[in-house]
Amino acid sequence: MANAVLVAEPEPATRGFLERHLADDGFDVLGAAECGEALELAERARPDLVLLGDTAALEECRSWSSEVPLIVIGAPEADAVDRARALERGADDFLSRPFLYDELLARIRAVLRRTAPVVPDVVRVGALEIDRPTRRVAVGGKRIDLPAKEYELLLKLASEPSRVFTKEELLREVWSFRSIGKTRTLDSHASRLRRKLARAGGGPFVVNVWGVGYRLRED
């Protein structure tokens, strides 16, 4: 499952360079020229990390979510004080221009490792139990056999049971789609998964939040 990186960089050549090389290195890449566009993309796609090329927009971009790691790419004249201020204002790392791509890539991977959520081997949500090592799913002790994508969708929703995952986010992380288009893939899988869980006595699970996406259960 590829990590998604949002590149919020006002300079077109730098943004294109980063988008191209990060995609070659296996990331799903979203590009934005300014903070407003970046915020809109972040709300819809829920990236795993943000690269921010405009330090003046740090507080505005950080206001979207303190949970998404953010690396600032600073100006050539940035000094130790600029780096310290960026970190104090919520950045997870800071790199000045001109930068070496290999160093930036190493920092991205290090931040993602450091901030990755810890998922237990056995995930329990009410009567639902998911055993990750064996991929066994049960509701009230009754085992349910799920195909690979239904299992991955369930596991993703169960990682934060009350949070609404956007359709774009789920299609990217479960199916590796780069854009939504008009596909019904997610809806059809969610519908089948919901019926299977209901037949086993669980639910309501896999709740459709109209116009947004899905969450595992109601609050």
Side-chain angles (χ1 to χ4, degrees):
M1 188 181 299
N3 289 115
V5 175
L6 171 56
V7 180
E9 167 58 53
E11 209 286 310
T14 302
R15 186 171 65 253
F17 170 85
L18 290 172
E19 289 176 354
R20 183 172 68 256
H21 285 287
L22 288 170
D24 287 343
D25 280 310
F27 294 94
D28 288 334
V29 186
L30 306 163
E34 49 86 31
C35 190
E37 183 185 0
L39 287 170
E40 183 180 342
L41 275 173
E43 287 283 0
R44 188 172 73 246
R46 304 276 182 157
D48 298 297
L49 182 140
V50 175
L51 288 179
L52 180 63
D54 180 6
T55 54
L58 175 56
E59 290 185 7
E60 183 182 357
C61 285
R62 177 45 87 201
S63 68
W64 171 70
S65 175
S66 60
E67 298 175 0
V68 178
L70 186 149
I71 297 176
V72 171
I73 301 175
E77 64 273 16
D79 57 20
V81 174
D82 296 313
R83 289 193 290 273
R85 285 175 177 167
L87 294 172
E88 288 174 354
R89 289 158 58 196
D92 294 276
D93 203 348
F94 187 101
L95 190 63
S96 297
R97 305 166 199 256
F99 57 85
L100 294 174
Y101 173 74
D102 287 345
E103 180 183 358
L104 175 62
L105 180 61
R107 288 173 181 261
I108 289 171
R109 288 174 171 161
V111 169
L112 287 171
R113 284 195 302 270
R114 190 167 69 241
T115 58
V118 177
V119 181
D121 283 344
V122 178
V123 179
R124 294 183 178 88
V125 182
L128 173 67
E129 182 176 291
I130 306 170
D131 188 305
R132 294 175 60 244
T134 64
R135 298 175 71 92
R136 180 181 181 274
V137 177
V139 174
K142 182 178 180 180
R143 183 167 179 173
I144 305 171
D145 293 322
L146 297 177
K149 289 304 180 184
E150 289 179 20
Y151 171 82
E152 291 172 21
L153 174 60
L154 178 62
L155 185 61
K156 183 63 182 177
L157 294 174
S159 67
E160 296 180 72
S162 298
R163 178 162 89 79
V164 179
F165 291 85
T166 67
K167 289 187 176 183
E168 185 167 335
E169 183 181 8
L170 291 170
L171 284 168
R172 185 190 74 234
E173 297 195 14
V174 178
W175 283 272
S176 300
F177 282 21
R178 293 186 179 272
S179 61
I180 294 179
K182 295 183 178 180
T183 180
R184 296 285 299 171
T185 297
L186 170 59
D187 296 321
S188 60
H189 279 76
S191 178
R192 288 195 295 270
L193 177 58
R194 184 187 304 114
R195 289 197 300 269
K196 290 176 182 178
L197 293 172
R199 283 198 297 267
F205 285 125
V206 192
V207 178
N208 187 356
V209 180
W210 293 103
V212 182
Y214 291 88
R215 62 182 169 198
L216 184 61
R217 65 178 183 181
E218 296 286 1
D219 291 332

